[in-house]
């Protein structure tokens, strides 16, 4: 009888170890030799100034924070290149108070993004319509939402970068 519980426990542990589970964000479908990435600053095809700069800065930070890549500004020594263009940026009110003032806005960003290995030249990820949405609240006591727009874009850019880099690594 004593052997049965130990055997059952052993089988349970072995089956859990071999089941293929892993932590989200830790895996990668990229070739192991892709370690140095040139991040070309995103182009801006929207009327909103600085959105490309904010998103590029957030992508750089996220790539470095993952401890998977060294980010380069030039192609010399790069294993891969990440390029993109912000094709759409919209800011829309979604919630209103009793007086008709917007209390919540949604930011929607569409980016065309390409990630390719340089040698051999191989596309690793491409999405011409990468859509990311986020919302932020504006308190009724705040008079100008423009003052809140840039910090909201920066917060959205951080979430955007986390999502995009996860997609790059996991091949979605």
């Amino acid at each position: 009888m004593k052997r049965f519980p130990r055997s059952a426990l052993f089988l349970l542990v072995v089956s859990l170890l071999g089941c293929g589970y892993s932590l989200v964000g830790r895996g990668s479908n990229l070739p192991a030799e892709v370690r140095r990435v040139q991040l070309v600053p995103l182009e801006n095809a929207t009327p909103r100034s600085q959105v490309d700069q904010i998103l590029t800065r957030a992508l750089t930070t996220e790539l470095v924070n993952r401890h998977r890549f060294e980010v380069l500004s030039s192609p010399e020594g790069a294993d891969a290149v990440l390029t993109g263009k912000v094709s759409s940026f919209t800011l829309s009110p979604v919630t209103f108070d009793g007086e008709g003032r917007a209390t919540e806005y949604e930011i929607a960003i569409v980016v065309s993004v390409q990630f390719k290995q340089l040698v051999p030249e191989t596309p690793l990820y491409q999405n011409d319509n990468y859509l990311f949405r986020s919302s932020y609240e504006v308190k009724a006591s705040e008079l100008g939402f423009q003052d809140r727009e840039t910090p909201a874009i920066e917060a959205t850019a951080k979430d955007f970068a986390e999502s995009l880099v996860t997609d790059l690594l996991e091949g979605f």
Side-chain angles (χ1 to χ4, degrees):
M1 283 304 253
K2 286 185 177 184
R3 288 179 49 136
F4 178 72
R6 286 185 182 175
S7 300
L9 180 61
F10 176 76
L11 288 174
L12 177 65
V13 169
V14 168
S15 66
L16 288 176
L17 289 175
C19 67
Y21 287 108
S22 63
L23 295 174
V24 173
R26 299 286 184 198
S28 178
N29 288 327
L30 297 179
E33 60 270 10
V34 175
R35 303 283 301 151
R36 302 178 83 191
V37 175
Q38 177 196 8
L39 176 59
V40 177
L42 298 176
E43 295 177 46
N44 189 0
T46 73
R48 175 58 166 94
S49 65
Q50 297 180 333
V51 71
D52 55 325
Q53 297 166 18
I54 294 169
L55 292 174
T56 300
R57 192 169 42 249
L59 278 171
T60 301
T61 301
E62 185 61 23
L63 286 167
V64 170
N65 287 345
R66 291 290 178 111
H67 302 287
R68 168 73 163 83
F69 302 109
E70 179 182 346
V71 180
L72 306 175
S73 60
S74 67
E76 288 84 31
D79 303 314
V81 62
L82 178 61
T83 59
K85 176 170 65 170
V86 184
S87 56
S88 176
F89 173 85
T90 56
L91 181 68
S92 307
V94 292
T95 306
F96 300 89
D97 65 11
E99 297 176 17
R101 294 180 296 200
T103 58
E104 183 179 6
Y105 288 86
E106 179 184 72
I107 294 175
I109 301 167
V110 178
V111 178
S112 171
V113 63
Q114 299 81 33
F115 188 46
K116 68 178 180 179
Q117 187 173 358
L118 295 176
V119 177
E121 190 168 323
T122 308
L124 300 172
Y125 179 88
Q126 181 168 345
N127 189 336
D128 294 331
N129 220 8
Y130 192 88
L131 172 63
F132 189 82
R133 295 178 192 262
S134 182
S135 61
Y136 70 96
E137 291 184 16
V138 177
K139 292 184 176 50
S141 63
E142 296 179 18
L143 298 176
F145 84 91
Q146 291 293 343
D147 296 336
R148 293 273 302 136
E149 187 175 320
T150 299
I153 294 169
E154 289 171 351
T156 298
K158 181 181 181 303
D159 294 340
F160 162 84
E162 288 174 2
S163 177
L164 180 59
V165 171
T166 296
D167 288 351
L168 292 176
L169 288 170
E170 296 181 1
F172 289 114

